[in-house]
């Protein structure tokens, strides 16, 4: 088995890291849960207020499939380049846990909705295709709540069933990832695809959850559960690399086990070994009839939006921007939309530089999203720069001010007095500077080029920085020519 | 025994309240243990107000009806005859209950049954067995024993049961009443507490075919809350035609196997000949996979049960012990105390049959047998209109006679379980007596062809008088 995987993608080095991911995506853009009519807008409501006999698993209740959930899942499956099953069927996964009101989870086993797909990511050695083994639908269990948010110090476990029955799509990759960084890139790329499809609001709590499988050369694999962020996934995997490496170096054995990621401490701890693993006794869920989904796929394929990779290629050819810029601009759906809104009104290359390099940097620095800056403000700002009304550094300053204090580019230009000084004002300032500094003129005549810089500084001081240094230099040299 | 029309006449002559309160008196005064919960207060309340609602215009207006205790009734305790559901009051009505209420019927209580419908005698009930009105030393059959016994004893005219492997037909046969196991999918299971969800259907029980059909008419029909529910709307009273001329009856030898009482064999053949005399013809049919059906049925039913009963952990409803521990311990204690022996046996065996390494050998093989059994029916019914066979190989056995020997007890279901594996409809109705105990004959039809089954049953009944004989309840 491992040989097959390695034939597909060799190890990077002697450490021999192999990583596979399982990602649970909540289809939280649906109106209702997967098997009942309860709504999904529970995030600000008290516990157990969005429930009914079905999602509480009351005796006698029966599940009915939410067709829209199947559609969303097919959409995501197609976007992951998967083939869609002819007939899809649900199964019961039997196990006991307090968050599981029926004592089994309705999920898929044989005949998963989607299988054999891939997505491309930027790997450690260039672009690489990460294969998706399958994507299957299932129901979310309830949520365990502990007093003070901590299981160690809470006297009771409380259960909130608002989340019970929310539709999930579980995406399982092949173990094609070769480093924690690649794992994170995969997750970022997946998130971007999910956002493009508009099937999940990834910013809601619990919207995407990751389990990661990792092994090193010479050891067994461990499965890390409870990873709630992409950064967390990378950290958990980095920790595992170090832990397993140390264990192997000391001659220890890495055993097949499930480990829990403690996000606060950044460590993983053993949860159970493989011998303690459940036998889930999967068998078909007779309360749900098989669905012939093959017929649905072609229609849904037509509704697929342009996905990140296609958009990136289009940006390069349509706007003539660099591939790096295009990649950066298409990493988020909203950012790509922002760029196109701006590029429609100003030079697209200029728009790319200012959006991908300047604005994105400022947003990252503040850890805020693109929605914090309006595309029409960017258009105004870039027009001012393009028309030579303000300097580049003033442009930067405006972006920072909008993000930190609010306001529009126009009002900031006005209140900060950022308009480039007009020609006559600069001319007067140049004349004044030359007249007031005869020594500098003499120095220049004696071949000291630095004298020009000194005079530029004087002009800047007089115009409070609103002059373009290059233009001032030219004017001074012109004046000197006249004098000499 | 009483009929719906007798009940309606009694209402005309007295009042809704009077009829309901007399019904409840009869239930309270008998010693048959037919009910687990009597819904006296709510039944009388509804009877009092029925005139002010529009329900008095409905077909079952004011008719008292007994509901098997595994069908969810809003506001009325629903226990499945299990200790683990002690005190569980459903917050919603099953689909069939909604339909009954719309039809004006009054639920007088929840009928006794085998625990979680697992049994053939109601002896596995946490509340003790329901007794046979014809002879209280004998069982009423199972698992819907309370429903059949209360109808046979003349307490109510109609009742609902459920049939997973014979649970309507067996007690109907043992108690001398009429019971239908409809085609899978024709009645919504929404609100029926699952034992084996791929096999079971809710079924009506009455003293005669017409009443049973009236009840069936009310509870059938599409329900969007059950994915296996089919879109068929028919008026089944149109099938109540006294005519079998030209129909072909298939008689499978396999249903008269070892263990069939001679009196039963004779009564059923007499029934076939009665129909022959009315213009039907009969021929023998082969159903070679019948011998594997019982084993396949028990494996599938137990496997599904092991999963269906997993939700009963005492956390949210039902039995709760005074002291809590960590969840593992609490679950185990509640399930140990809450479930009876037969339920535990089936949950354990079902868990085993689904386990890694055994699933292919048991569960998956049983599914293959199921397909073959279904084929038997398809073939046998290809050139026949209905099949006729004994419902049970023998009349009601004595209390305590088989309960300590589960295998012998399971063998009693040999003629009823293949019908559930195939999903076809089957009616059991009285066709004779042996030592004062009723004998039942079953009429089996094609999928969704309740009409022919009802027509044959109605014709048989119109031309015989077994259904008019009433037990003297002792």
């Amino acid at each position: 088995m491992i040989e097959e995987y390695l034939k597909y993608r060799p190890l990077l080095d002697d450490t021999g890291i192999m990583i596979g991911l399982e990602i649970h995506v909540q289809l939280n853009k649906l109106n209702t849960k997967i098997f009942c009519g309860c709504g999904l807008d529970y995030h600000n409501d008290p516990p157990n207020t969005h429930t009914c006999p079905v999602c509480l698993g009351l005796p006698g209740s029966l599940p009915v499939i939410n067709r829209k959930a199947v559609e969303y899942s097919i959409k995501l499956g197609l976007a992951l380049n998967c083939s869609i099953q002819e007939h899809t069927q649900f199964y019961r996964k039997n196990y006991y846990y307090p968050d599981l009101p029926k004592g089994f989870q309705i999920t898929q086993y044989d005949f998963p909705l989607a299988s054999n797909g891939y997505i491309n990511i930027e790997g450690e050695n260039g672009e690489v295709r990460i294969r998706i083994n399958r994507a299957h639908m299932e129901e979310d269990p309830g949520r365990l709540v502990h007093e003070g948010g901590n299981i160690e110090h809470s006297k009771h476990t409380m259960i909130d069933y608002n989340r019970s029955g929310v539709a999930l799509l579980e995406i399982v990759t092949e173990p094609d990832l070769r480093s924690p960084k690649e794992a994170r890139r995969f997750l970022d790329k997946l998130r971007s695809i999910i956002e493009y499809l508009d099937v999940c609001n990834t910013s809601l709590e619990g919207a995407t959850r990751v389990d990661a499988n990792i092994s090193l050369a010479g050891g067994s694999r461990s499965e890390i559960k409870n990873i709630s962020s992409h950064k967390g996934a990378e950290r958990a995997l980095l920790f595992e690399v170090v832990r397993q490496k140390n264990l192997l170096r000391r001659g220890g054995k890495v055993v097949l086990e499930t480990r829990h990621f403690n996000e606060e401490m950044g460590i993983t701890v053993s949860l159970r070994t493989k011998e303690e693993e459940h036998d889930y006794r999967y068998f078909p869920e007779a309360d749900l009839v098989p669905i012939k989904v093959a017929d649905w796929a072609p229609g849904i394929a037509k509704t697929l939006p342009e996905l990140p990779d296609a958009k990136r290629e289009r940006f390069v050819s349509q706007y003539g921007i660099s591939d790096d810029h295009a990649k950066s601009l298409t990493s988020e759906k909203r950012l790509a939309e922002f760029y196109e809104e701006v590029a429609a009104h100003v030079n697209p290359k200029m728009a790319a530089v200012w959006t991908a390099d300047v604005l994105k940097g400022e947003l990252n620095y503040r850890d805020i999203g693109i929605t914090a800056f309006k595309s029409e403000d960017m258009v105004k700002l870039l027009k001012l720069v393009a028309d030579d009304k303000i300097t580049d550094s003033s442009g930067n300053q405006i972006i920072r001010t909008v993000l930190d204090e609010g306001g529009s580019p126009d009002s900031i230009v006005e209140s900060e007095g950022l308009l480039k000084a007009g020609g006559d004002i600069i001319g007067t300032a140049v004349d004044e500077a030359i007249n007031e500094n005869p020594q500098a003129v003499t120095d220049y005549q004696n071949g000291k080029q630095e004298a020009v810089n000194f005079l530029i500084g004087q002009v800047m001081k007089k115009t409070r920085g609103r002059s373009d240094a290059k233009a001032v230099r030219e004017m001074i040299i012109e004046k000197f020519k006249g004098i000499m | 025994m009483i009929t719906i029309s007798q009940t309606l006449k009694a209402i005309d002559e007295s009042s809704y309240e009077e009829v309901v309160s007399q019904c409840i008196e009869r239930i309270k005064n008998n010693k048959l243990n037919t009910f687990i919960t009597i819904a006296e207060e709510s039944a009388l309340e509804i009877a009092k107000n029925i005139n002010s609602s529009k329900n008095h215009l409905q077909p079952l207006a004011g008719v008292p009806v007994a509901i098997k205790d595994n069908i969810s009734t809003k506001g009325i305790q629903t226990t499945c005859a299990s200790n683990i559901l002690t005190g569980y009051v459903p917050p919603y009505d099953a689909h069939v209950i909604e339909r009954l209420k719309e039809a004006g019927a009054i639920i007088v209580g929840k009928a006794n049954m085998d625990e979680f419908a697992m049994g053939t005698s109601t002896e596995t009930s946490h509340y003790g067995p329901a007794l046979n009105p014809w002879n209280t030393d004998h069982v009423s059959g199972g698992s819907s024993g309370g429903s059949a016994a209360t109808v046979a004893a003349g307490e109510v005219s109609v009742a609902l049961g459920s049939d997973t492997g014979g649970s309507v037909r067996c007690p109907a046969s043992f108690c001398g009443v009429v019971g239908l196991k409809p085609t899978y999918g024709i009645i919504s299971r929404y609100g029926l507490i699952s034992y084996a969800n791929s096999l079971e259907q809710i079924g009506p029980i009455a003293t005669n075919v017409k009443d049973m059909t009236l009840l069936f008419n009310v509870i059938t029909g599409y329900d969007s809350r059950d994915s296996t529910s089919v879109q068929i709307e028919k008026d089944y009273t149109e099938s109540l035609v006294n005519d079998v001329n030209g129909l072909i009856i298939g008689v499978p030898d396999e249903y008269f196997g070892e263990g069939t009482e001679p009196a039963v064999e004779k009564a059923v053949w007499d029934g076939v000949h009665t129909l022959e005399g009315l213009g039907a013809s009969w021929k023998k049919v082969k159903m070679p996979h019948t011998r594997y059906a019982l084993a396949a049925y028990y494996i599938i039913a137990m496997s599904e049960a092991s999963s269906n009963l997993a939700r009963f952990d005492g956390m949210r409803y039902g039995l709760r012990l005074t002291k809590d521990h960590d969840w593992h311990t609490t679950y185990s204690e509640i399930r140990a105390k809450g479930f009876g022996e037969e339920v535990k046996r089936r949950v354990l065996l079902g868990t085993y049959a689904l386990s890694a390494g055994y699933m292919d050998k048991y569960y998956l093989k049983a599914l293959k047998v199921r397909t073959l059994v279904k084929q038997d029916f398809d073939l046998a019914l290809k050139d026949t209109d209905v099949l006729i066979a004994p419902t049970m190989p023998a009349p009601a056995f004595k209390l305590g006679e088989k309960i300590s020997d589960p295998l012998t007890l399971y063998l009693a279901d040999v003629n009823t379980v293949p019908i559930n594996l195939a999903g076809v409809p089957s009616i059991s109705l009285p066709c004779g007596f042996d030592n004062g105990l009723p004998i039942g004959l079953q009429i089996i039809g094609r999928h969704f062809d309740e009409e022919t089954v009802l027509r044959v049953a109605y014709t048989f009944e119109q031309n015989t008088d077994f259904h008019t004989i009433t037990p003297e309840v002792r």
Side-chain angles (χ1 to χ4, degrees):
Chain A
M1 199 66 181
I2 286 207
E3 287 68 31
E4 285 299 307
Y5 295 134
L6 295 182
K7 207 183 280 173
Y8 177 76
R9 194 172 178 216
L11 298 170
L12 285 185
D13 52 34
D14 291 348
T15 319
I17 300 172
M18 287 177 79
I19 296 169
L21 300 174
E22 293 167 21
I23 306 99
H24 290 86
V25 179
Q26 261 191 351
L27 303 177
N28 58 22
K29 289 259 177 130
L30 291 166
N31 292 317
T32 58
K33 296 184 180 180
I34 186 169
F35 298 128
C36 64
C38 289
L40 302 187
D41 49 342
Y42 58 79
H43 285 87
N44 298 315
D45 289 345
N48 299 310
T49 51
H50 292 250
T51 58
C52 73
V54 176
C55 57
L56 286 175
L58 287 187
S61 65
L62 295 170
V64 175
I65 187 74
N66 176 343
R67 289 177 70 91
K68 202 90 192 164
V70 181
E71 272 180 47
Y72 277 23
S73 302
I74 293 175
K75 210 170 168 182
L76 190 40
L78 289 171
L80 302 179
N81 305 295
C82 289
S83 16
I84 303 300
Q85 195 74 241
E86 183 79 27
H87 284 89
T88 194
Q89 175 149 27
F90 286 91
Y91 280 71
R92 290 186 182 178
K93 179 181 183 180
N94 296 285
Y95 66 97
Y96 289 101
Y97 203 67
D99 63 8
L100 201 62
K102 297 190 295 294
F104 59 82
Q105 181 190 31
I106 301 177
T107 177
Q108 300 194 291
Y109 187 60
D110 290 340
F111 319 108
L113 187 77
S115 53
N116 296 322
Y118 63 87
I119 57 182
N120 295 323
I121 64 159
E122 195 58 40
E124 297 282 357
N125 312 319
E127 189 166 86
V128 60
R129 181 171 282 194
I130 305 302
R131 293 170 301 168
I132 311 282
N133 175 293
R134 58 191 273 150
H136 68 250
M137 301 179 71
E138 62 186 26
E139 56 179 340
D140 214 346
R143 199 170 62 89
L144 300 186
V145 183
H146 295 99
E147 285 161 309
N150 192 320
I151 194 163
E152 275 95 36
H153 303 117
S154 180
K155 264 171 119 176
H156 307 280
T157 296
M158 293 171 287
I159 312 172
D160 178 5
Y161 292 103
N162 281 348
R163 199 182 74 177
S164 175
V166 174
L168 296 177
L169 191 70
E170 179 175 341
I171 298 162
V172 183
T173 76
E174 298 290 4
D176 290 347
L177 296 156
R178 295 287 174 267
S179 74
K181 197 202 269 171
E182 285 190 356
R184 183 169 181 181
R185 282 186 186 154
F186 176 90
L187 292 171
D188 287 343
K189 185 66 174 280
L190 178 64
R191 173 167 60 198
S192 133
I193 292 170
I194 292 167
E195 280 172 355
Y196 269 66
L197 297 175
D198 206 26
V199 295
C200 170
N201 177 353
T202 55
S203 65
L204 285 177
E205 190 208 344
T208 57
R209 287 155 354 230
V210 181
D211 296 341
N213 285 283
I214 175 167
S215 67
L216 269 52
S220 268
R221 127 184 97 80
S222 59
E223 182 179 359
I224 315 165
K225 295 220 173 249
N226 189 44
I227 302 170
S228 59
S229 70
H230 299 183
K231 208 189 278 177
E234 192 176 4
R235 277 174 67 212
L237 286 166
L238 281 169
F239 177 86
E240 266 306 292
V241 170
V242 174
R243 185 188 71 86
Q244 294 188 17
K245 217 187 240 176
N246 288 339
L247 201 56
L248 292 167
R249 195 170 45 214
R250 290 197 303 266
K253 231 178 132 182
V254 177
V255 293
L256 203 56
E257 64 179 348
T258 302
R259 299 179 69 84
H260 177 94
F261 180 53
N262 184 326
E263 186 121 39
E264 245 168 73
M265 299 171 73
I267 61 166
T268 69
V269 288
S270 181
L271 211 59
R272 55 178 180 264
T273 58
K274 199 72 195 173
E275 291 81 65
E276 300 163 54
E277 287 282 325
H278 297 287
D279 173 2
Y280 291 117
R281 308 190 309 279
Y282 287 96
F283 77 110
E285 168 56 282
D287 288 336
L288 290 164
V289 289
I291 316 169
K292 195 177 178 195
V293 283
D295 297 349
W296 301 22
I300 294 170
K302 283 189 200 135
T303 70
L304 280 188
E306 186 183 33
L307 293 169
D309 285 349
K311 203 180 277 282
R312 172 176 151 195
E313 279 171 31
R314 178 169 65 82
F315 277 18
V316 171
S317 62
Q318 182 179 340
Y319 298 115
I321 61 177
S322 73
D323 190 52
D324 277 349
H325 275 152
K327 198 194 294 175
S328 162
L329 291 169
T330 53
S331 64
E332 281 173 54
K333 185 186 177 199
R334 192 51 211 115
L335 184 67
E337 286 166 359
F338 179 96
Y339 169 72
E340 292 210 271
E341 284 158 21
V342 176
H345 301 286
V346 300
N347 178 322
K349 286 187 190 170
M350 184 190 192
V353 172
W354 279 85
T355 307
D357 296 343
V358 183
L359 177 61
K360 217 178 153 190
E362 297 293 343
L363 292 172
N364 283 349
Y365 176 73
R366 289 167 179 76
D367 193 27
I368 51 178
I370 184 70
T371 46
F373 204 87
K374 290 194 202 109
S375 61
E376 56 260 36
D377 282 351
M378 187 58 115
V379 171
K380 277 182 200 156
L381 179 103
L382 295 189
K383 277 189 171 157
L384 289 171
V385 175
D387 294 349
D388 236 4
K389 297 234 174 79
I390 59 170
T391 61
D392 283 7
S393 71
S394 296
N396 277 292
Q397 188 187 334
I398 290 168
I399 289 176
R400 285 193 293 268
T401 311
V402 169
L403 292 176
D404 294 335
E405 292 157 32
S408 71
D410 289 336
S411 65
I412 295 166
V413 164
E414 174 127 13
S415 63
E416 302 286 318
L418 297 178
L419 265 195
K420 267 190 194 173
D424 49 338
I425 298 176
I426 301 174
T428 313
V430 169
D431 289 343
E432 279 177 20
I434 291 174
N435 292 337
E436 287 164 14
N437 297 286
Q439 184 59 42
V441 181
T442 316
D443 286 351
Y444 183 78
Q445 283 167 336
N446 292 336
K448 278 193 176 173
Q449 294 291 321
E450 300 82 35
V452 178
N453 293 341
F454 172 76
L455 287 173
I456 292 171
Q458 295 304 304
V459 173
M460 285 298 186
K461 209 186 265 174
K462 286 177 187 293
T463 59
R464 286 181 301 157
R466 288 171 297 167
S467 316
D468 183 351
K470 209 171 135 206
V472 172
R473 169 179 295 271
E474 279 165 12
M475 285 174 81
I476 292 172
I477 292 170
E478 202 61 29
K479 290 273 174 195
F480 283 166
K481 277 184 190 156
I483 294 167
M484 284 191 294
Chain B
M1 291 200 249
I2 49 168
T3 62
I4 290 178
S5 55
Q6 282 167 350
T7 309
L8 293 174
K9 195 162 165 250
I11 292 169
D12 279 348
E13 286 165 359
S14 57
S15 69
Y16 290 113
E17 271 180 279
E18 185 57 33
V19 166
V20 167
S21 89
Q22 275 176 14
C23 167
I24 287 169
E25 277 314 299
R26 287 196 295 272
I27 295 168
K28 280 183 174 168
N29 290 336
N30 83 36
K31 294 184 174 58
L32 298 172
N33 196 26
T34 45
F35 280 78
I36 291 170
T37 303
I38 301 173
E40 184 169 6
E41 213 172 296
S42 65
L44 287 171
E45 182 72 19
I46 292 165
K48 207 162 96 184
N49 297 319
I50 197 162
N51 271 323
S52 54
S53 70
K54 281 200 186 110
N55 282 350
H56 67 283
L57 300 170
Q58 298 301 319
L60 297 179
V63 174
V65 50
I67 306 296
K68 189 178 183 180
D69 206 24
N70 59 352
I71 299 173
S72 303
T73 44
K74 187 176 179 177
I76 304 172
Q77 180 183 243
T78 300
T79 69
C80 290
S82 179
N83 189 23
I84 207 158
L85 279 174
T86 298
Y88 169 58
V89 178
Y92 75 104
D93 273 329
H95 175 76
V96 291
I97 301 299
E98 289 175 355
R99 288 277 178 121
L100 280 176
K101 285 181 174 175
E102 283 162 22
I106 295 178
I107 292 150
V108 290
K110 305 303 292 287
N112 201 354
M113 57 184 281
D114 280 293
E115 186 179 0
F116 282 104
M118 297 177 184
T120 311
S121 63
T122 71
E123 287 168 288
T124 70
S125 169
H126 176 66
Y127 299 90
L131 308 180
N132 193 315
W134 296 86
N135 185 336
T136 52
D137 290 337
H138 289 250
V139 301
S140 55
S143 64
S144 313
S147 298
T150 186
V151 170
E155 294 168 0
V156 293
S157 56
V158 284
L160 288 189
S162 69
D163 192 314
T164 311
S167 283
V168 161
R169 290 161 291 151
C170 160
S173 171
F174 282 4
C175 293
V177 293
V178 184
L180 169 68
K181 197 298 279 188
T183 307
Y184 188 81
I186 217 163
I187 297 177
S188 167
R189 290 179 292 114
Y190 189 76
L192 170 68
I193 301 179
S194 294
Y195 149 35
N197 50 315
S198 80
L199 296 162
E200 62 209 4
Q201 276 284 286
I202 292 169
I205 296 172
T207 61
N208 61 81
V209 175
K210 189 182 158 203
D211 283 1
M212 194 204 71
T213 306
L214 286 175
L215 186 60
F216 180 55
N217 246 3
V218 167
I219 59 175
T220 49
Y222 177 68
D223 176 19
S224 62
R225 295 167 299 184
D226 176 355
S227 311
T228 62
S229 168
V230 292
Q231 306 232 21
I232 294 181
E233 298 289 341
K234 283 182 194 165
D235 179 1
Y236 290 97
T237 57
E238 286 173 11
S239 311
L240 301 177
V241 181
N242 185 358
D243 176 21
V244 288
N245 206 16
L247 289 184
I248 304 169
I249 298 162
V251 184
D253 269 342
E254 291 83 355
Y255 282 71
F256 296 81
E258 200 187 328
T260 309
E261 291 276 332
V264 170
E265 191 166 344
K266 182 177 181 303
V268 172
W269 272 111
D270 286 351
V272 172
H273 293 135
T274 301
L275 291 165
E276 190 183 15
L278 294 165
S281 60
W282 64 268
K283 60 184 262 190
K284 294 234 175 147
V285 290
K286 287 249 164 296
M287 305 194 77
H289 299 99
T290 306
R291 53 191 293 221
Y292 307 112
L294 193 74
Y297 165 81
Y298 272 100
I299 287 169
I300 292 170
M302 289 174 182
S303 299
E304 291 181 5
S306 72
S307 173
N308 286 327
L309 270 60
R311 74 188 64 196
F312 303 108
D313 53 30
M315 285 297 120
R316 296 162 300 275
Y317 48 82
L319 183 70
R320 195 66 182 254
L321 305 177
T322 42
K323 196 165 167 6
D324 283 346
H325 306 275
D326 63 87
W327 69 268
H328 294 95
T329 315
T330 304
Y331 276 30
S332 302
E333 283 183 358
I334 286 171
R335 288 170 69 82
K337 202 160 170 81
F339 287 142
E341 201 182 331
E342 183 60 28
V343 172
K344 284 179 193 162
R345 177 171 15 252
R346 295 196 192 191
V347 167
L348 285 173
L349 287 171
T351 305
Y352 180 81
L354 286 178
S355 297
Y358 298 99
M359 193 170 183
D360 288 0
K361 216 161 131 188
Y362 296 111
Y363 180 74
L364 296 177
K365 188 168 259 181
L367 288 187
K368 285 177 193 157
V369 171
R370 183 176 190 171
T371 306
L372 294 172
V373 168
K374 197 162 165 280
Q375 263 173 31
D376 275 1
F377 280 94
D378 291 344
L379 287 174
L381 285 161
K382 213 166 157 184
D383 41 16
T384 63
D385 294 294
V386 292
L387 308 175
I388 285 183
T391 309
M392 303 299 289
F397 45 86
K398 279 193 168 159
L399 285 161
E401 189 184 321
K402 298 189 174 184
I403 191 67
S404 52
D405 183 2
L407 265 186
T408 314
L409 197 57
Y410 295 172
L411 278 174
D413 301 338
V414 68
N415 284 357
T416 51
V417 298
I419 283 84
N420 298 78
L421 288 176
V424 293
S426 169
I427 282 183
S428 176
L429 73 171
C431 69
F433 289 89
D434 182 28
N435 285 326
L437 288 168
I439 296 170
L441 160 158
Q442 61 176 336
I443 303 166
I444 304 151
R446 300 189 191 101
H447 286 104
F448 303 111
D449 188 16
E450 269 77 0
E451 286 148 305
T452 309
V453 173
L454 287 168
R455 179 175 152 199
V456 175
Y458 183 73
T459 306
F460 179 82
E461 191 182 76
Q462 289 299 302
N463 294 279
T464 55
D465 56 5
F466 304 110
H467 65 288
T468 61
I469 304 166
T470 295
E472 200 182 299
V473 181
R474 286 172 289 174

